[in-house]
């Protein structure tokens, strides 16, 4: 690194480009590790600084009021940076901001954010702070330009050193892929290749020397992949041995093994009760449903009996979760803890769906393709840097992929339609990631999966081996996930994307796509006349693809017009139309059906053409076609996709089933109409295809009962023949939690509701100085409330954060809420669960209204029609479960103390309100006027 670079940083008034004004500029000039010079200045933005920016940066209004204007310092800045390469974290953001202010920079730009995503694939966040902390680079003052510029300089040097440690063959392949591409980091990798090549023949290994000569194109890749054979499959015992419950109880009792191993261990009788019930279920081959209140420690309560039963009997127990957080906690924390202290040889595996694993065959084919797009190159580069470090090939290790990169991943993943199984070279070598994952699961006692894989694996030869014992945690999500997995949706853009991948549109005057076989024939021994036949079939199919494209366009134009004509006002949200019998009787629906018939005819012709090509190529396996497996897989993938579109499309449009839900949707402010279907009932499907095939199924969650009964969730999930157990939380809610119900609050649909809501929130937050999470059921009400309260509260030094209001990511919102003591956080949807804030940072939870489903939601509307009393039998219990999830955000430990304020008067004015109260733990309740809410809240929090 013998060149001079300049690291650059700006502090701005907003994360949104349209609202940005510059507050501070800093630049550091460096060569290698040596700082040559530095320059920085505050800038007068000629506007007020938002309070959240003042909190974030520490820059006050009075600081910039005395500062020079940008025009007064720009000359000094340009003189300092000259034409040196600029280094910054998301450098385009800073350069574009300067450009909008009339400061134009033509310097080469090097983005440390992009470098980090390539070289550090496993990070959950790539913010400057997260990457620097991971690499051990100490911060000075965060979010100040001069200090961030220095941090970025150190980050760049460290990332350069990491890149230097990559194998030379990888560096060469990165440079080969980007030869004809305008890419700022190309100069970094080209410089590293020059340095490494010079030393490649001085003490390098034979493999490195060969790689240096031939490049990755011809170098053997086997050395990249794990060579350790997966463990042998489990062998079930001839005679089943029951779990000795007394052994488990002794492990958890005061003075037991867990108390010896962990200083902060707390014995919880509720945990023991649940553990014994789970053990009984395994021993008796009976299913169990358990609601375990917050703080029970349910993970350990089911892991212990599952581990002992599985090891004693050589059986596999699958544990399914809904969230990645719980999946990671089980596999990376809880199970390793058991493995370290239990006298068992306990094996475990984390298994995901097929599309999560890299297919090495398809990956190699994409690298060699003569027509490769920029997004494909960038994805391949990330994979190149990651492959030497992975033993799983799991896309989850690649950190954050963009939507474009995920689309590329889907084309090189181990999805079913492209897999050639034991015919694949990588399978035969034992390098196939999917094969290794399955073998690992076959030899594991505990297999951790998510609900998506659990359900997608039903009735298929998927990733999971045979198993007889199942634990479903976060079971309250199972119906929604089953609805998604057992349903179907296809967008107009998705079909068009597949057709474009097959063959470029004729209007582009450019041949290409999967039907261009020149690359495959290169160097092969396929006879010339066979190549000619393949080309003739390809040319004919290209014309048929163009005809299919036109029919798809016409169909979706008519479908979109029908949607606009018949859907209700969406008020800025997604437009959705349930396809009922009455809707299908509308005259314009005939035009939609006729248009789909044309799509069916044209796509059927495309499928026939693909079948002919597949038949032709199936006879050429021994003719040394380049990437033969990938070619056959891609032809099969396309045929399967079009067949699926036709089968589901015909059902949705022309031949609906009484057991299905069908609707059309389009996102707000976008033209991309979608066809959708879902099963009307998932319970029967789950019982037939999942529960009935198992010896024992355990369902558990903190929210499964409504009004202390399981009947609703058991009916929804088809899980009716099961023992029931409710385990209350060990937390003393009567002492820790006050539930305030204002007795003079207007109902949500009445005048003055919004004014009363906003005033109540202001009064409470002013009195306790933040420390409040406010849950909404709609983003429009969230934004409206944020607009009303943020200025008054920020004037008192209280930071107000809103989800999807100012562009701050969800993770950063939560981190700011946890670390800044005077903060109010407004959240919707995803904030009703999965938020874990222990201590005083979250002292008050405000629920603005009861979380009833939107009546026009197609799935909700269709399923409601199956009940004699839809509200009480379906809508109400569903809402109670969501309400309990929201309530559970407040008390997360025995020492927590807080107040829940419900600003929905229906909780005590409607007859159903008591059902919500009965479903909560035994808290302290108080009905009070709105004007007394703030005082009641403060008094409760002041009392310990």
């Amino acid at each position: 690194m013998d060149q001079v670079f300049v690291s650059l940083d700006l502090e701005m008034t907003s994360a949104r480009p349209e609202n940005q004004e510059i507050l501070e500029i800093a630049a550091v000039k460096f060569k290698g590790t040596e700082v040559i010079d530095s320059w920085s200045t505050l800038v007068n933005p000629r506007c007020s600084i938002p309070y959240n920016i003042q909190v974030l940066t520490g820059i006050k209004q009075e600081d910039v009021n005395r500062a020079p204007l940008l025009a007064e310092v720009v000359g000094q800045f340009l003189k300092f940076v000259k034409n040196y390469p600029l280094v910054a974290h998301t450098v385009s953001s800073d350069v574009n901001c300067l450009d909008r202010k009339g400061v134009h920079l033509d310097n080469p730009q090097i983005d440390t954010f992009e470098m980090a995503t390539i070289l550090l694939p496993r990070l959950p966040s790539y913010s400057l702070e997260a990457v620097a902390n991971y690499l051990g680079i100490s911060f000075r003052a965060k979010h100040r330009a001069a200090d961030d510029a220095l941090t970025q300089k150190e980050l760049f040097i460290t990332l350069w050193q990491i890149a230097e440690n990559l194998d030379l063959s990888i560096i060469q392949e990165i440079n080969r892929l980007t030869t004809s591409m305008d890419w700022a980091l190309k100069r970094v990798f080209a410089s590293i290749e020059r340095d490494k090549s010079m030393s490649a023949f001085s003490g390098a290994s034979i493999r490195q020397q060969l790689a240096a000569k031939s490049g990755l194109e011809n170098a053997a890749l086997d050395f990249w992949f794990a060579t350790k054979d997966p463990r042998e499959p489990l062998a079930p015992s001839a005679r089943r041995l029951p779990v000795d419950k007394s052994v488990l109880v002794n492990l958890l009792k005061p003075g037991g093994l867990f108390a010896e191993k962990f200083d902060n261990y707390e014995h919880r009788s509720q945990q023991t009760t649940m553990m014994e019930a789970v053990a009984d279920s395994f021993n008796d081959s009976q299913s169990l449903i358990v609601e375990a209140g917050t703080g029970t420690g349910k993970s350990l309560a089911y892991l212990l009996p599952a581990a002992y039963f599985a090891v004693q009997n050589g059986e596999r127990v699958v544990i399914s979760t809904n969230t990645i957080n719980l999946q990671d906690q089980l596999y990376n924390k809880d199970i390793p803890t058991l493995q370290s202290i239990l006298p068992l040889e306990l094996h475990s595996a984390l298994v995901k769906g097929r599309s999560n694993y890299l297919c090495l065959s398809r990956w190699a084919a994409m690298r060699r393709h003569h027509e490769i797009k920029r997004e494909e190159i960038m994805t391949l580069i990330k994979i190149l840097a990651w492959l030497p470090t992975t033993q799983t090939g799991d896309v989850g290790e690649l950190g954050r992929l963009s939507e474009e990169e995920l689309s590329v991943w889907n084309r090189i993943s181990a999805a079913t339609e492209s897999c050639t199984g034991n015919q694949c070279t990588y399978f035969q070598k034992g390098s196939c990631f999917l094969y290794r994952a399955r073998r690992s699961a076959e030899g594991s006692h505990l297999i951790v999966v998510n609900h998506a894989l659990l359900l997608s694996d039903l009735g298929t030869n998927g990733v999971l081996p045979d198993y007889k014992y199942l634990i479903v945690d976060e079971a309250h999500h199972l119906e929604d996930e089953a609805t998604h997995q057992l349903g179907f949706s296809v967008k107009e853009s998705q079909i068009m994307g597949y057709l474009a991948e097959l063959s470029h549109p004729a209007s582009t005057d450019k041949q290409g796509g999967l039907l261009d076989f020149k690359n495959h024939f290169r160097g092969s021994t396929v006879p010339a006349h066979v190549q000619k036949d393949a080309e003739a079939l390809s040319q004919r199919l290209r014309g048929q693809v163009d005809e299919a494209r036109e029919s798809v366009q016409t169909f979706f134009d008519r479908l979109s017009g029908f949607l606009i004509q018949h859907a209700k006002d969406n008020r800025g949200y997604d437009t959705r139309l349930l396809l009922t019998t009455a809707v299908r009787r509308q005259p314009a629906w005939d035009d939609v059906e006729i248009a789909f018939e044309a799509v069916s005819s044209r796509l059927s012709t495309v499928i026939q053409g693909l079948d002919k090509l597949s038949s032709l190529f199936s006879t050429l396996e021994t003719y040394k076609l380049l990437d033969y497996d990938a070619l056959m897989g891609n032809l099969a993938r396309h045929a399967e996709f079009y067949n699926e579109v036709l089968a589901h499309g015909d059902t949705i449009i022309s031949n609906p089933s009484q057991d299905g839900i069908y609707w059309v949707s389009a996102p707000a402010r976008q033209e991309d109409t979608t066809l959708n279907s879902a099963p009307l009932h998932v319970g029967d499907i789950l019982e037939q295809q999942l529960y009935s095939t198992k010896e024992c199924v355990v369902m558990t969650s903190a929210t499964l009962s409504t009004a202390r009964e399981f009947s609703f969730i058991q009916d929804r999930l088809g899980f009716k023949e099961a023992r029931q157990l409710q385990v209350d939380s060990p937390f003393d809610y009567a002492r820790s939690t006050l539930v305030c119900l204002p007795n003079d609050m207007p109902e949500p649909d009445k005048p003055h509701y919004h004014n009363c809501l906003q005033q109540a929130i202001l009064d409470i937050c002013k009195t306790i100085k933040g420390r409040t999470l406010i849950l909404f059921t709609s983003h429009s009400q969230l934004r409206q409330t944020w607009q009303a309260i943020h200025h008054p509260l920020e004037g008192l030094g209280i930071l107000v954060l809103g989800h999807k209001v100012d562009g701050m990511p969800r993770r950063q919102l939560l981190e700011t809420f946890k670390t800044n003591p005077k903060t109010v956080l407004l959240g919707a949807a995803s904030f009703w669960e999965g938020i874990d804030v222990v201590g005083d940072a979250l002292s008050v939870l405000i629920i603005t209204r009861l979380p009833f489903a939107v009546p026009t939601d197609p799935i909700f509307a269709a399923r409601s029609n199956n009940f004699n009393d839809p509200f009480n039998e379906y809508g109400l219990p569903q809402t109670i479960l969501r309400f309990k999830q929201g309530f559970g955000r407040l008390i997360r430990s025995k020492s927590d103390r807080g107040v829940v304020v419900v600003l929905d008067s229906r909780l005590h004015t409607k007859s159903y309100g008591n059902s919500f109260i009965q479903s909560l733990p035994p808290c302290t309740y108080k009905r009070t006027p709105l004007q007394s809410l703030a005082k009641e809240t403060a008094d409760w929090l002041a009392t310990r």
Side-chain angles (χ1 to χ4, degrees), residues 24 55 78 234 346 457 498 523 563 684 808-809 837 878 905 929 943:
E24 190 175 32
V55 171
L78 292 174
L234 297 180
L346 176 66
D457 222 61
Y498 263 79
L563 177 64
D684 292 343
M808 188 181 291
V837 182
Q878 189 181 76
S905 60
T943 306

Side-chain angles (χ1 to χ4, degrees), residues 217-470:
E217 184 73 19
N218 300 312
L221 303 183
D222 293 347
F223 69 90
W224 280 10
F225 312 121
T227 55
K228 181 182 177 184
D229 289 332
R231 60 182 71 102
E232 290 299 313
L234 297 180
S237 304
R239 186 173 64 88
R240 189 169 63 190
L241 298 175
V243 175
D244 186 340
K245 292 192 295 182
S246 65
V247 171
L248 304 183
V249 172
N250 287 334
L251 289 171
L252 295 183
K253 71 180 182 181
L257 183 60
F258 277 79
E260 290 178 9
K261 295 290 184 179
F262 303 106
D263 293 337
N264 298 321
Y265 174 76
E266 293 180 3
H267 175 259
R268 288 164 280 191
S269 60
Q270 296 87 347
Q271 186 179 56
T272 301
T273 299
M274 177 178 172
M275 179 185 67
E276 291 183 289
V278 174
D280 285 337
S281 294
F282 278 107
N283 290 341
D284 301 338
S285 293
Q286 289 201 350
S287 292
L288 171 71
I289 185 167
V290 187
E291 181 177 74
T294 306
T296 299
K298 60 181 167 58
S299 298
L300 186 59
Y302 61 67
L303 283 175
L304 273 173
Y308 271 85
F309 184 86
V311 172
Q312 288 176 185
N313 294 286
E315 293 283 1
R316 306 178 190 98
V317 178
V318 169
I319 303 166
S320 182
T321 76
N322 187 66
T323 60
I324 293 175
N325 285 344
L326 180 53
Q327 200 174 30
D328 287 345
Q329 178 188 315
L330 289 171
Y331 186 70
N332 296 318
K333 182 181 177 183
D334 295 344
I335 293 176
T337 296
L338 295 185
Q339 290 171 323
S340 68
I341 67 174
L342 294 181
L344 302 173
E345 188 175 345
L346 176 66
H347 300 303
S348 65
L350 175 63
V351 182
K352 299 184 179 180
R354 296 179 65 107
S355 62
N356 287 276
Y357 297 101
L358 178 68
C359 172
L360 294 170
S361 177
R362 297 178 73 187
W363 168 77
M366 182 177 284
R367 284 177 34 241
R368 289 191 289 263
H369 202 275
H370 69 284
E371 186 183 287
I372 188 165
K373 301 174 184 176
R374 182 185 181 91
E375 63 267 20
E376 293 172 336
I377 292 173
M378 299 313 302
T379 309
L380 290 174
I381 287 172
K382 287 189 176 183
I383 293 172
L384 277 164
W386 162 67
L387 267 179
T389 70
T390 184
Q391 294 192 29
T392 66
D394 176 7
V395 67
E397 296 179 358
L398 273 172
R400 184 167 61 182
L401 294 180
S402 68
E403 189 171 332
E404 286 184 337
E405 289 168 338
L406 281 173
S407 176
V408 175
W409 174 271
N410 289 335
R411 300 202 296 275
I412 55 176
S413 73
T416 308
E417 65 271 13
S418 64
C419 182
T420 57
N422 57 13
Q423 302 299 314
C424 174
T425 302
Y426 294 98
F427 179 93
Q428 293 167 357
K429 291 181 178 180
S431 298
C432 171
F433 290 121
L434 179 66
Y435 164 76
R436 297 178 65 82
R438 185 182 175 99
R439 283 294 303 272
S440 177
E442 287 176 345
S444 296
H445 302 101
L446 303 181
I447 304 172
V448 180
V449 303
N450 60 21
H451 294 349
L453 170 59
L454 176 74
L455 296 163
S456 66
D457 222 61
L458 294 180
T460 67
N461 182 23
V463 184
L464 294 180
D466 291 337
Y467 65 97
K468 299 176 182 176
Y469 300 88
L470 171 66

Side-chain angles (χ1 to χ4, degrees), residues 45-352:
R46 292 188 293 188
C47 68
S48 59
I49 307 175
Y51 181 69
N52 65 319
I53 300 298
Q54 295 187 45
V55 171
L56 189 68
T57 63
I59 299 174
K60 306 300 182 186
Q61 191 68 48
E62 54 269 26
D63 297 332
V64 296
N65 287 342
R66 299 188 298 268
L69 299 174
L70 179 61
E72 297 171 341
V73 298
V74 67
Q76 301 172 36
F77 171 70
L78 292 174
K79 184 178 179 181
F80 184 87
V81 301
K82 295 183 179 178
N83 63 347
Y84 297 123
L86 299 176
V87 175
H89 212 61
T90 319
V91 64
S92 60
S93 175
D94 292 335
V95 172
N96 291 342
C97 180
L98 287 166
D99 190 68
R100 287 191 295 272
K101 304 306 173 187
V103 183
H104 306 296
L105 296 170
D106 295 325
N107 307 51
Q109 301 172 25
I110 297 174
D111 191 349
T112 53
F113 176 92
E114 186 177 23
M115 286 184 72
T117 62
I118 294 170
L119 299 169
L120 304 172
R122 287 174 170 81
L123 295 192
S125 169
Y126 288 95
S127 68
L128 178 62
E129 180 179 1
V131 179
N133 286 339
Y134 176 80
L135 295 175
I137 298 171
S138 59
F139 264 90
R140 297 151 186 88
K142 300 174 187 176
H143 302 293
R144 290 306 300 265
D147 295 298
D148 283 355
L150 274 172
T151 300
Q152 287 171 168
K153 165 250 175 188
E154 294 178 19
L155 176 58
F156 174 61
I157 292 169
T158 305
L159 290 172
W160 184 295
Q161 292 168 346
I162 291 172
E164 285 181 320
N165 287 324
L166 290 174
D167 195 276
L168 175 60
S169 59
I170 295 174
I171 300 294
Q172 289 175 321
E173 178 69 350
I174 290 174
N175 289 330
R176 183 190 71 81
L177 286 168
T178 58
T179 298
S180 59
M181 194 172 96
D182 180 20
W183 185 44
L185 291 182
K186 188 157 61 173
R187 68 172 54 231
V188 173
F189 287 99
S191 177
I192 292 172
E193 181 181 347
R194 285 193 300 271
D195 294 342
K196 292 178 77 71
S197 295
M198 290 175 62
S199 60
F201 295 93
S202 57
S205 68
I206 294 175
R207 178 180 56 76
Q208 288 174 318
Q209 293 180 34
L210 288 173
K213 288 180 179 178
S214 61
L216 197 61
E217 184 73 19
N218 300 312
L221 303 183
D222 293 347
F223 69 90
W224 280 10
F225 312 121
T227 55
K228 181 182 177 184
D229 289 332
R231 60 182 71 102
E232 290 299 313
L234 297 180
S237 304
R239 186 173 64 88
R240 189 169 63 190
L241 298 175
V243 175
D244 186 340
K245 292 192 295 182
S246 65
V247 171
L248 304 183
V249 172
N250 287 334
L251 289 171
L252 295 183
K253 71 180 182 181
L257 183 60
F258 277 79
E260 290 178 9
K261 295 290 184 179
F262 303 106
D263 293 337
N264 298 321
Y265 174 76
E266 293 180 3
H267 175 259
R268 288 164 280 191
S269 60
Q270 296 87 347
Q271 186 179 56
T272 301
T273 299
M274 177 178 172
M275 179 185 67
E276 291 183 289
V278 174
D280 285 337
S281 294
F282 278 107
N283 290 341
D284 301 338
S285 293
Q286 289 201 350
S287 292
L288 171 71
I289 185 167
V290 187
E291 181 177 74
T294 306
T296 299
K298 60 181 167 58
S299 298
L300 186 59
Y302 61 67
L303 283 175
L304 273 173
Y308 271 85
F309 184 86
V311 172
Q312 288 176 185
N313 294 286
E315 293 283 1
R316 306 178 190 98
V317 178
V318 169
I319 303 166
S320 182
T321 76
N322 187 66
T323 60
I324 293 175
N325 285 344
L326 180 53
Q327 200 174 30
D328 287 345
Q329 178 188 315
L330 289 171
Y331 186 70
N332 296 318
K333 182 181 177 183
D334 295 344
I335 293 176
T337 296
L338 295 185
Q339 290 171 323
S340 68
I341 67 174
L342 294 181
L344 302 173
E345 188 175 345
L346 176 66
H347 300 303
S348 65
L350 175 63
V351 182
K352 299 184 179 180

